[in-house]
Amino acid sequence: EDVGALDEAVETGRLREAILMAEARHEKKAADIADQIVGRREQVRLVLIAGPSASGKTSFARRLAIQLKIAGVAPFALGLDDYFVDREHTPRDSAGRHDLEALEAVDLGLFNKQLLALMAGERVRLPRYDFKAGKRGWGDEVQLSTDAVLIVEGIHGLNPRLVAKLPAQSIFRIYVSALTQLNIDHHNRVPTTDTRMLRRIVRDARSRGHSAQDTIRRWESIRRGEERSIFPYQENADVMFNSALVYELAVLKPYAEPLLMRVPRGAIESLESRRLLAFLRWVRPCSPDLVPTTSLLREFIGGSALEDYRF
């Protein structure tokens, strides 16, 4: 229930049990959500997954796909990013920069048209967006069985305007967020945003070569995007998946601390890095070897068995 109990579990060797229980809870919840979708199999043809940055949407989508396969449902992943409009048609923000997080950056007409065609069992040539050129190209032709379930993960998944042309009963929406329930002590809780920021810092350094200073600098903009495009629509979700893991701070600490310590003392971002470092001092580190390769946490620290899984 608090950091002290987490530290005690690390010291006494009981953390393995806590990890196994936390992971089992995740798996059970994913299976329960899959069962809800299967229970509406005659109607549901599209699953939309949305959530704030570093909530683990990608890993959750893959675990859900596996659970659907177990239940005999054929999932098919559709990339929302491939439906971006060409760069010259992308809306701009107040600073004049291309705003890829705006709903208008997506070709809603083409997206809805192809969704309806795929759900009808028609053969469709899918778009393939070239981010370097800022142009849409074309990829493979696909044809799905009429009982296949499309899974789309993206920032606008809970916004009704994304799929305005589809029947409401054919859509199942999932909100993924890391709602940390761990407290520092009886009077102070661990902010959910801090856990997500630590996840993002670790992942950005590992997979994108970004420094902690880079991630902290971008965080305010990321949060603004969430406030605009995700949080106002979270009540539209059919179900919520809490991706927080009670043990994750102990695993994230050895990755995050050295990255935070490299933020220059005089930089604007150093205040935030020092705050996070002060908070992490209360957490005893844990070896990542205890984390299962199927864990959602592996999306951030690496070594995920789900990373190359395609469906």
Side-chain angles (χ1 to χ4, degrees), residues 21-97:
M21 290 180 67
E23 294 297 337
R25 187 176 289 112
H26 266 195
E27 204 62 62
K28 185 178 186 300
K29 182 64 174 178
D32 289 345
I33 293 173
D35 287 344
Q36 290 185 51
I37 295 169
V38 173
R40 291 169 51 186
R41 188 171 181 175
E42 297 301 317
Q43 294 180 310
V44 173
R45 301 298 312 286
L46 173 65
V47 174
L48 295 172
I49 301 172
S53 176
S55 58
K57 299 180 292 296
T58 301
S59 291
F60 169 76
R62 290 168 181 170
R63 289 173 75 163
L64 179 66
I66 292 169
Q67 291 290 345
L68 288 172
K69 283 187 175 182
I70 291 171
V73 174
F76 182 80
L78 200 61
L80 187 60
D81 289 355
D82 285 322
Y83 288 88
F84 278 142
V85 297
D86 289 346
R87 191 68 46 81
E88 62 264 29
H89 302 304
T90 302
R92 295 180 181 270
D93 61 19
S94 57
R97 296 168 298 202

Side-chain angles (χ1 to χ4, degrees), residues 36 50 77 115 124 136 160 182 193-194 226 242 259 262 265:
Q36 290 185 51
L115 282 176
V124 172
R136 178 195 300 150
L182 196 69
T193 303
D194 282 359
E226 294 168 353
N242 186 359
L259 297 169
R262 292 187 198 123
R265 294 285 291 183

